[in-house]
Amino acid sequence: MSQSSTETIWVTQEAYDRLKVELANLKDVVMPDITEKIAAARDEGDLKENGGYHAAREEQGKANARIQQLEDMLRRAEVGEKPADDGIVEAGMVVGVTFAGDDDVERFLLGSRELLSLDSAVELDVYSPTSPLGAAILGKKVGDDASYEAPNGKTLTVSIVEAKPF
């Protein structure tokens, strides 16, 4: 994530707390450990051919990138309650839709990709509530139809078949 975004990330208190714990661990445990590895590798001499030094520097770069990502996510986070399990589509829900003329159900998370990063076992597409599809289905309930204009200019219609909290 090279640039920070300005889009609000809606998270539960539990998700927010997990992000804070991960950030604290990176800053207080992981980064000092990497700094020690780099210092030890420097003490070995020639850095050009020192694999341990280069590995530690790469690890440091990845950790710094994740720290920046977490800080950005926490800055933009809006903590709220899990959405009610009432079948009404809102951010933080897994939504199932069928496209007109197709019986296959497409399931996705309506929210932010950052929510998925909290559980690497979950494999869902993510649609923002401000995307054309997200905006069209927001506030609808199971059984409703919604139409929206796709980026290619075509008008698509979906039927909402599922709306459950993530």
mmCIF file of all heavy atoms in Angstrom, residues 95-108 133 137 144-146 148 156-162:
data_model
loop_
_atom_site.group_PDB
_atom_site.id
_atom_site.type_symbol
_atom_site.label_atom_id
_atom_site.label_comp_id
_atom_site.label_asym_id
_atom_site.label_seq_id
_atom_site.Cartn_x
_atom_site.Cartn_y
_atom_site.Cartn_z
ATOM 1 N N VAL A 95 -22.725 -10.773 1.211
ATOM 2 C CA VAL A 95 -23.940 -10.662 0.404
ATOM 3 C C VAL A 95 -23.878 -11.700 -0.711
ATOM 4 O O VAL A 95 -22.828 -11.896 -1.323
ATOM 5 C CB VAL A 95 -24.071 -9.249 -0.192
ATOM 6 C CG1 VAL A 95 -25.341 -9.115 -1.015
ATOM 7 C CG2 VAL A 95 -24.036 -8.191 0.914
ATOM 8 N N GLY A 96 -25.000 -12.333 -0.962
ATOM 9 C CA GLY A 96 -25.128 -13.247 -2.089
ATOM 10 C C GLY A 96 -26.121 -12.663 -3.073
ATOM 11 O O GLY A 96 -27.213 -12.235 -2.673
ATOM 12 N N VAL A 97 -25.725 -12.604 -4.331
ATOM 13 C CA VAL A 97 -26.617 -12.075 -5.368
ATOM 14 C C VAL A 97 -26.617 -13.029 -6.555
ATOM 15 O O VAL A 97 -25.671 -13.775 -6.777
ATOM 16 C CB VAL A 97 -26.201 -10.666 -5.853
ATOM 17 C CG1 VAL A 97 -26.243 -9.655 -4.719
ATOM 18 C CG2 VAL A 97 -24.840 -10.681 -6.521
ATOM 19 N N THR A 98 -27.711 -12.987 -7.305
ATOM 20 C CA THR A 98 -27.758 -13.649 -8.601
ATOM 21 C C THR A 98 -27.984 -12.566 -9.634
ATOM 22 O O THR A 98 -28.752 -11.622 -9.407
ATOM 23 C CB THR A 98 -28.889 -14.697 -8.691
ATOM 24 O OG1 THR A 98 -30.136 -14.069 -8.404
ATOM 25 C CG2 THR A 98 -28.651 -15.849 -7.726
ATOM 26 N N PHE A 99 -27.280 -12.687 -10.747
ATOM 27 C CA PHE A 99 -27.465 -11.742 -11.837
ATOM 28 C C PHE A 99 -28.630 -12.207 -12.693
ATOM 29 O O PHE A 99 -28.870 -13.415 -12.827
ATOM 30 C CB PHE A 99 -26.178 -11.631 -12.677
ATOM 31 C CG PHE A 99 -25.089 -10.873 -11.969
ATOM 32 C CD1 PHE A 99 -24.239 -11.513 -11.079
ATOM 33 C CD2 PHE A 99 -24.940 -9.510 -12.162
ATOM 34 C CE1 PHE A 99 -23.250 -10.822 -10.410
ATOM 35 C CE2 PHE A 99 -23.965 -8.802 -11.500
ATOM 36 C CZ PHE A 99 -23.116 -9.457 -10.616
ATOM 37 N N ALA A 100 -29.367 -11.259 -13.267
ATOM 38 C CA ALA A 100 -30.517 -11.582 -14.104
ATOM 39 C C ALA A 100 -30.095 -12.581 -15.187
ATOM 40 O O ALA A 100 -29.078 -12.406 -15.845
ATOM 41 C CB ALA A 100 -31.078 -10.319 -14.738
ATOM 42 N N GLY A 101 -30.860 -13.663 -15.320
ATOM 43 C CA GLY A 101 -30.570 -14.667 -16.325
ATOM 44 C C GLY A 101 -29.552 -15.705 -15.898
ATOM 45 O O GLY A 101 -29.149 -16.546 -16.700
ATOM 46 N N ASP A 102 -29.120 -15.678 -14.654
ATOM 47 C CA ASP A 102 -28.100 -16.618 -14.168
ATOM 48 C C ASP A 102 -28.496 -17.069 -12.758
ATOM 49 O O ASP A 102 -28.830 -16.244 -11.914
ATOM 50 C CB ASP A 102 -26.736 -15.926 -14.139
ATOM 51 C CG ASP A 102 -25.585 -16.874 -13.840
ATOM 52 O OD1 ASP A 102 -25.833 -18.071 -13.611
ATOM 53 O OD2 ASP A 102 -24.432 -16.398 -13.831
ATOM 54 N N ASP A 103 -28.465 -18.369 -12.517
ATOM 55 C CA ASP A 103 -28.848 -18.891 -11.207
ATOM 56 C C ASP A 103 -27.673 -19.029 -10.250
ATOM 57 O O ASP A 103 -27.865 -19.343 -9.080
ATOM 58 C CB ASP A 103 -29.522 -20.260 -11.357
ATOM 59 C CG ASP A 103 -30.885 -20.157 -12.024
ATOM 60 O OD1 ASP A 103 -31.510 -19.074 -11.946
ATOM 61 O OD2 ASP A 103 -31.331 -21.154 -12.618
ATOM 62 N N ASP A 104 -26.439 -18.822 -10.748
ATOM 63 C CA ASP A 104 -25.268 -18.930 -9.877
ATOM 64 C C ASP A 104 -25.258 -17.784 -8.870
ATOM 65 O O ASP A 104 -25.477 -16.630 -9.225
ATOM 66 C CB ASP A 104 -23.974 -18.877 -10.691
ATOM 67 C CG ASP A 104 -23.775 -20.122 -11.546
ATOM 68 O OD1 ASP A 104 -24.380 -21.159 -11.220
ATOM 69 O OD2 ASP A 104 -23.017 -20.035 -12.524
ATOM 70 N N VAL A 105 -24.991 -18.139 -7.622
ATOM 71 C CA VAL A 105 -24.931 -17.131 -6.561
ATOM 72 C C VAL A 105 -23.498 -16.628 -6.443
ATOM 73 O O VAL A 105 -22.566 -17.417 -6.312
ATOM 74 C CB VAL A 105 -25.401 -17.696 -5.206
ATOM 75 C CG1 VAL A 105 -25.228 -16.668 -4.098
ATOM 76 C CG2 VAL A 105 -26.851 -18.151 -5.296
ATOM 77 N N GLU A 106 -23.320 -15.326 -6.522
ATOM 78 C CA GLU A 106 -22.015 -14.708 -6.294
ATOM 79 C C GLU A 106 -22.024 -14.122 -4.899
ATOM 80 O O GLU A 106 -22.863 -13.287 -4.560
ATOM 81 C CB GLU A 106 -21.742 -13.612 -7.323
ATOM 82 C CG GLU A 106 -20.382 -12.982 -7.127
ATOM 83 C CD GLU A 106 -20.026 -11.945 -8.178
ATOM 84 O OE1 GLU A 106 -20.556 -11.984 -9.278
ATOM 85 O OE2 GLU A 106 -19.199 -11.077 -7.847
ATOM 86 N N ARG A 107 -21.078 -14.594 -4.063
ATOM 87 C CA ARG A 107 -20.973 -14.113 -2.689
ATOM 88 C C ARG A 107 -19.774 -13.186 -2.583
ATOM 89 O O ARG A 107 -18.723 -13.456 -3.153
ATOM 90 C CB ARG A 107 -20.804 -15.282 -1.726
ATOM 91 C CG ARG A 107 -22.013 -16.183 -1.662
ATOM 92 C CD ARG A 107 -21.809 -17.380 -0.747
ATOM 93 N NE ARG A 107 -21.906 -16.955 0.641
ATOM 94 C CZ ARG A 107 -20.936 -17.115 1.527
ATOM 95 N NH1 ARG A 107 -19.804 -17.681 1.209
ATOM 96 N NH2 ARG A 107 -21.090 -16.704 2.762
ATOM 97 N N PHE A 108 -19.928 -12.120 -1.825
ATOM 98 C CA PHE A 108 -18.845 -11.162 -1.631
ATOM 99 C C PHE A 108 -19.063 -10.410 -0.332
ATOM 100 O O PHE A 108 -20.154 -10.411 0.230
ATOM 101 C CB PHE A 108 -18.755 -10.180 -2.815
ATOM 102 C CG PHE A 108 -20.040 -9.441 -3.082
ATOM 103 C CD1 PHE A 108 -20.334 -8.241 -2.436
ATOM 104 C CD2 PHE A 108 -20.965 -9.953 -3.983
ATOM 105 C CE1 PHE A 108 -21.513 -7.572 -2.681
ATOM 106 C CE2 PHE A 108 -22.148 -9.278 -4.235
ATOM 107 C CZ PHE A 108 -22.436 -8.087 -3.587
ATOM 108 N N LEU A 133 -22.157 -1.456 -7.765
ATOM 109 C CA LEU A 133 -22.952 -2.557 -7.226
ATOM 110 C C LEU A 133 -23.261 -2.316 -5.752
ATOM 111 O O LEU A 133 -24.404 -2.468 -5.308
ATOM 112 C CB LEU A 133 -22.229 -3.888 -7.405
ATOM 113 C CG LEU A 133 -22.868 -5.114 -6.741
ATOM 114 C CD1 LEU A 133 -24.290 -5.338 -7.230
ATOM 115 C CD2 LEU A 133 -22.016 -6.350 -6.974
ATOM 116 N N ILE A 137 -27.141 -1.931 -3.970
ATOM 117 C CA ILE A 137 -27.756 -2.902 -3.060
ATOM 118 C C ILE A 137 -27.812 -2.441 -1.605
ATOM 119 O O ILE A 137 -28.535 -3.015 -0.804
ATOM 120 C CB ILE A 137 -27.034 -4.270 -3.141
ATOM 121 C CG1 ILE A 137 -25.586 -4.164 -2.663
ATOM 122 C CG2 ILE A 137 -27.140 -4.844 -4.544
ATOM 123 C CD1 ILE A 137 -24.865 -5.499 -2.549
ATOM 124 N N ASP A 144 -35.040 -8.556 -2.657
ATOM 125 C CA ASP A 144 -35.121 -7.349 -3.487
ATOM 126 C C ASP A 144 -34.240 -7.486 -4.723
ATOM 127 O O ASP A 144 -33.252 -8.221 -4.726
ATOM 128 C CB ASP A 144 -34.655 -6.110 -2.708
ATOM 129 C CG ASP A 144 -35.654 -5.656 -1.656
ATOM 130 O OD1 ASP A 144 -36.787 -6.176 -1.633
ATOM 131 O OD2 ASP A 144 -35.285 -4.778 -0.848
ATOM 132 N N ASP A 145 -34.600 -6.742 -5.757
ATOM 133 C CA ASP A 145 -33.778 -6.608 -6.954
ATOM 134 C C ASP A 145 -33.188 -5.210 -6.970
ATOM 135 O O ASP A 145 -33.768 -4.267 -6.413
ATOM 136 C CB ASP A 145 -34.617 -6.794 -8.230
ATOM 137 C CG ASP A 145 -35.119 -8.228 -8.396
ATOM 138 O OD1 ASP A 145 -34.489 -9.142 -7.842
ATOM 139 O OD2 ASP A 145 -36.131 -8.417 -9.088
ATOM 140 N N ALA A 146 -32.026 -5.083 -7.603
ATOM 141 C CA ALA A 146 -31.391 -3.763 -7.742
ATOM 142 C C ALA A 146 -30.703 -3.719 -9.100
ATOM 143 O O ALA A 146 -30.171 -4.715 -9.580
ATOM 144 C CB ALA A 146 -30.371 -3.552 -6.628
ATOM 145 N N TYR A 148 -27.902 -1.461 -11.609
ATOM 146 C CA TYR A 148 -26.808 -0.492 -11.559
ATOM 147 C C TYR A 148 -26.105 -0.490 -12.909
ATOM 148 O O TYR A 148 -26.229 -1.422 -13.691
ATOM 149 C CB TYR A 148 -25.827 -0.822 -10.433
ATOM 150 C CG TYR A 148 -25.045 -2.090 -10.641
ATOM 151 C CD1 TYR A 148 -23.747 -2.053 -11.146
ATOM 152 C CD2 TYR A 148 -25.606 -3.337 -10.350
ATOM 153 C CE1 TYR A 148 -23.027 -3.224 -11.346
ATOM 154 C CE2 TYR A 148 -24.890 -4.504 -10.543
ATOM 155 C CZ TYR A 148 -23.607 -4.438 -11.042
ATOM 156 O OH TYR A 148 -22.902 -5.592 -11.238
ATOM 157 N N LEU A 156 -26.975 -3.647 -15.277
ATOM 158 C CA LEU A 156 -27.110 -5.003 -14.759
ATOM 159 C C LEU A 156 -28.122 -5.019 -13.624
ATOM 160 O O LEU A 156 -28.248 -4.048 -12.874
ATOM 161 C CB LEU A 156 -25.760 -5.506 -14.239
ATOM 162 C CG LEU A 156 -24.614 -5.553 -15.252
ATOM 163 C CD1 LEU A 156 -23.324 -5.957 -14.562
ATOM 164 C CD2 LEU A 156 -24.934 -6.526 -16.366
ATOM 165 N N THR A 157 -28.843 -6.139 -13.516
ATOM 166 C CA THR A 157 -29.812 -6.307 -12.440
ATOM 167 C C THR A 157 -29.413 -7.522 -11.619
ATOM 168 O O THR A 157 -29.070 -8.566 -12.169
ATOM 169 C CB THR A 157 -31.231 -6.490 -13.006
ATOM 170 O OG1 THR A 157 -31.560 -5.340 -13.796
ATOM 171 C CG2 THR A 157 -32.254 -6.633 -11.894
ATOM 172 N N VAL A 158 -29.458 -7.365 -10.304
ATOM 173 C CA VAL A 158 -29.146 -8.462 -9.390
ATOM 174 C C VAL A 158 -30.319 -8.665 -8.437
ATOM 175 O O VAL A 158 -31.057 -7.728 -8.137
ATOM 176 C CB VAL A 158 -27.872 -8.195 -8.575
ATOM 177 C CG1 VAL A 158 -26.647 -8.133 -9.465
ATOM 178 C CG2 VAL A 158 -27.985 -6.961 -7.718
ATOM 179 N N SER A 159 -30.449 -9.906 -7.987
ATOM 180 C CA SER A 159 -31.418 -10.243 -6.945
ATOM 181 C C SER A 159 -30.619 -10.608 -5.701
ATOM 182 O O SER A 159 -29.664 -11.379 -5.770
ATOM 183 C CB SER A 159 -32.275 -11.436 -7.355
ATOM 184 O OG SER A 159 -33.049 -11.127 -8.475
ATOM 185 N N ILE A 160 -31.008 -10.060 -4.580
ATOM 186 C CA ILE A 160 -30.309 -10.330 -3.329
ATOM 187 C C ILE A 160 -30.881 -11.603 -2.727
ATOM 188 O O ILE A 160 -32.085 -11.678 -2.468
ATOM 189 C CB ILE A 160 -30.427 -9.139 -2.357
ATOM 190 C CG1 ILE A 160 -29.810 -7.911 -3.025
ATOM 191 C CG2 ILE A 160 -29.753 -9.448 -1.027
ATOM 192 C CD1 ILE A 160 -30.176 -6.614 -2.412
ATOM 193 N N VAL A 161 -30.007 -12.599 -2.534
ATOM 194 C CA VAL A 161 -30.443 -13.881 -2.000
ATOM 195 C C VAL A 161 -29.892 -14.163 -0.611
ATOM 196 O O VAL A 161 -30.328 -15.107 0.051
ATOM 197 C CB VAL A 161 -30.087 -15.047 -2.967
ATOM 198 C CG1 VAL A 161 -30.838 -14.892 -4.283
ATOM 199 C CG2 VAL A 161 -28.612 -15.162 -3.195
ATOM 200 N N GLU A 162 -28.932 -13.363 -0.173
ATOM 201 C CA GLU A 162 -28.313 -13.576 1.130
ATOM 202 C C GLU A 162 -27.695 -12.271 1.618
ATOM 203 O O GLU A 162 -27.131 -11.505 0.849
ATOM 204 C CB GLU A 162 -27.208 -14.635 0.998
ATOM 205 C CG GLU A 162 -26.420 -14.902 2.241
ATOM 206 C CD GLU A 162 -25.249 -15.869 2.000
ATOM 207 O OE1 GLU A 162 -24.986 -16.266 0.860
ATOM 208 O OE2 GLU A 162 -24.604 -16.204 3.010
#
